Amino acid sequence: MVGKSKQKVCLAYSGGLDTSCILVWLKEQGYDVVCFMADVGQEEDFEAAKKKALKIGAQKVEVKDLKKAFVEEFCWPAIQCNAQYEGEYLLGTSLARPVIARAQMEFAAQEGCFAVSHGCTGKGNDQVRFELAFYALDPKIKVIAPWRDPVFYNRFKGRNDLLDYASQTGIPVTSTKSKPWSMDENLAHCSYEAGILEDPDTSPPEDMWKLTVDPEKAPEKPEYFTLEFTKGIPTGLEFSEGGKEKSVTGDVDIFTTTNTIARRNGVGRIDIVENRFIGIKSRGCYESPGLTCLRSAHQNLEGLCLDREVKAWRDRSITYDFSKCLYNGVWFSPECEVLRDCIPSTQKNVNGRVRCKVYKGTFSVVGRTSPSKLYDMSESSMDEIGDFDPSETGGFITVSAIRLKKYGQMKKEAGEDL
């Protein structure tokens, strides 16, 4: 790749090893570089990262607070439909990519950039997520992906080469050759991969986990709190702290406080091998403390007030496809737009309060109530008849058994055992 002088590139910058090296490398190619940093709730010294980028050659650095948009536009719909990839992964990284890409493209347009760049590897999902978003938002944008450029990846064959390059060019880094692993953090989660984690039979070192307390070292007493939902969206949180009853409202505050409670009780760790969109299996370790609690509480409340058939239809027609859209990076697609439009219609009656308990890495629901519940305690009771006539169940069973009798008869005549 031969760079053209005076052309400007907007780099998605994290302050870490990869993007710092890419910034300097882009300058070597003859580009002017502006950096974009997204505050999606990660615990990071943005001012220090900004100074670092300017020191090593960035013309300008934009730090954009996206926490409110991240929670309201992305995390809440995911909770409303109980989004989950392959039965375990709560899509923390996937959720943040479209809000970051959108803001980066806005900054790139503002700065007159002809191209955008990122530090995603050529084997990962994030390159797909970012670039599909970039192209949807501006079909004419150019993308510079160094980890797919032979000039770059033949020069930097791994993290050790990057560390050597950083040392040679005066880039300050915190990664070391003895403990290299990739980490991505936002308000919803923190992910870990690469390095020693690439061996799926190697246990993650305890000092790797950044967000949560080791469940075995969490408090000896359980902690209780109550979440309130309106149309499937968390709208309130009540908890005790320092002997005082407290409550919070507001999207970011609810998410942040739930995170705090879950983190100190060791909730939300998983260690999985997943199937990347590009076809490669990948081992990843994830911490999603608050998201685990919020999603589980919401799912439990739905049992009280969401119709059986609506839930079944939503689970197979929205939840699976919406989760796949998130994971595969097609948020800005016609199918994902339709799915997002459908989610609210399933949540009209998902209103109520869920009493929650966290204890040594576990989350459980200890009670729930809803003004729009479909549950009738009298009707469900085994101790009273209520409005339900048990004698009518016989006819229901008779009709339901017609096809099963025919199937059993057919198997018997064929000499086959059921």
Side-chain angles (χ1 to χ4, degrees):
M1 180 181 68
V2 179
K4 297 181 180 179
S5 63
K6 303 303 180 184
Q7 286 187 306
K8 191 181 292 186
V9 177
C10 178
L11 171 65
Y13 186 71
S14 69
L17 175 64
D18 286 35
T19 54
S20 293
C21 289
I22 288 170
L23 196 167
V24 174
W25 184 80
L26 287 170
K27 296 284 290 182
E28 285 183 355
Q29 308 309 301
Y31 295 117
D32 288 336
V33 182
V34 295
C35 291
F36 176 77
M37 297 188 71
D39 179 0
V40 282
Q42 66 271 43
E43 296 174 352
E44 187 171 321
D45 188 339
F46 290 101
E47 190 58 35
K50 182 176 181 179
K51 289 179 180 178
K52 177 179 176 180
L54 292 170
K55 179 180 179 180
I56 61 179
Q59 283 192 343
K60 184 176 181 180
V61 180
E62 170 84 348
V63 179
K64 186 76 171 180
D65 187 346
L66 301 174
K67 292 191 292 292
K68 192 171 189 294
F70 177 46
V71 172
E72 292 180 353
E73 298 180 47
F74 300 88
C75 293
W76 283 172
I79 288 172
Q80 283 182 300
C81 73
N82 304 320
Q84 188 178 55
Y85 182 71
E86 294 190 334
E88 292 185 277
Y89 175 40
L90 299 190
L91 299 157
T93 296
S94 313
L95 283 164
R97 294 320 186 216
V99 72
I100 294 172
R102 185 177 66 188
Q104 182 181 354
M105 289 297 290
E106 290 171 355
F107 178 61
Q110 172 189 313
E111 293 298 311
C113 296
F114 91 103
V116 291
S117 184
H118 59 74
C120 305
T121 72
K123 292 183 178 181
N125 291 313
D126 278 344
Q127 59 179 335
V128 179
R129 294 166 181 157
F130 275 120
E131 293 183 36
L132 292 182
F134 293 153
Y135 290 130
L137 293 163
D138 182 357
K140 296 182 179 180
I141 195 67
K142 302 297 182 183
V143 177
I144 298 175
W147 283 114
R148 295 202 307 271
D149 186 333
V151 174
F152 186 88
Y153 67 68
N154 284 326
R155 181 177 179 183
F156 305 107
K157 294 181 173 62
R159 294 183 69 81
N160 287 347
D161 289 339
L162 290 173
L163 288 165
D164 290 339
Y165 179 69
S167 177
Q168 295 163 11
T169 56
I171 300 172
V173 294
T174 57
S175 294
T176 66
K177 292 185 179 180
S178 60
K179 284 187 176 182
W181 53 63
S182 174
M183 184 175 73
D184 179 74
E185 181 187 359
N186 59 50
L187 188 64
H189 91 154
C190 191
S191 66
Y192 311 87
E193 61 182 7
I196 62 170
L197 300 176
E198 290 176 351
D199 180 351
D201 197 33
T202 296
S203 299
E206 187 51 46
D207 63 354
M208 180 195 74
W209 303 101
K210 178 182 179 183
L211 300 184
T212 56
V213 170
D214 181 345
E216 294 180 359
K217 299 175 182 177
E220 295 299 325
K221 292 184 178 181
E223 185 170 356
Y224 298 88
F225 58 97
T226 299
L227 286 164
E228 183 166 358
F229 291 85
T230 303
K231 296 183 178 180
I233 293 174
T235 51
L237 168 63
E238 297 174 2
F239 63 105
S240 298
E241 193 169 64
K244 295 182 179 179
E245 297 298 319
K246 297 185 177 181
S247 64
V248 294
T249 56
D251 300 307
V252 175
D253 288 340
I254 291 171
F255 211 115
T256 302
T257 307
T258 307
N259 261 340
T260 300
I261 295 170
R263 288 175 65 171
R264 64 188 176 219
N265 288 278
V267 173
R269 293 184 182 185
I270 62 170
D271 179 349
I272 62 173
V273 175
E274 67 199 67
N275 291 290
R276 288 178 178 169
F277 185 28
I278 63 171
I280 296 174
K281 285 187 179 290
S282 171
R283 193 268 188 95
C285 299
Y286 301 103
E287 292 177 287
S288 307
L291 185 57
T292 295
C293 297
L294 292 162
R295 178 187 178 278
S296 297
H298 169 266
Q299 190 173 34
N300 191 281
L301 180 62
E302 285 189 328
L304 192 64
C305 49
L306 189 62
D307 177 77
R308 179 185 71 181
E309 296 304 318
V310 172
K311 183 179 185 304
W313 174 82
R314 189 278 314 276
D315 288 350
R316 65 176 180 266
S317 301
I318 298 179
T319 301
Y320 175 80
D321 286 336
F322 182 75
S323 300
K324 188 171 71 172
C325 282
L326 277 169
Y327 191 83
N328 292 350
V330 290
W331 179 273
F332 300 107
S333 66
E335 66 270 26
C336 195
E337 182 179 352
V338 170
L339 290 166
R340 293 197 303 273
D341 288 344
C342 288
I343 290 172
S345 65
T346 69
Q347 299 293 292
K348 294 176 182 177
N349 296 319
V350 185
N351 308 300
R353 294 163 60 84
V354 182
R355 293 191 295 112
C356 309
K357 169 186 171 182
V358 283
Y359 179 63
K360 289 191 174 295
T362 66
F363 169 88
S364 57
V365 170
V366 295
R368 77 289 290 158
T369 183
S370 171
S372 50
K373 64 181 182 293
L374 296 176
Y375 177 84
D376 185 320
M377 190 163 65
S378 174
E379 191 174 69
S380 300
S381 175
M382 296 296 184
D383 296 322
E384 60 177 291
I385 293 178
D387 294 331
F388 182 80
D389 185 351
S391 66
E392 295 178 352
T393 307
F396 173 77
I397 295 172
T398 299
V399 172
S400 299
I402 292 174
R403 68 184 186 91
L404 300 180
K405 288 181 177 180
K406 293 296 183 183
Y407 177 66
Q409 182 180 351
M410 178 189 72
K411 298 289 279 186
K412 185 176 181 179
E413 292 174 353
E416 299 176 8
D417 294 329
L418 281 174

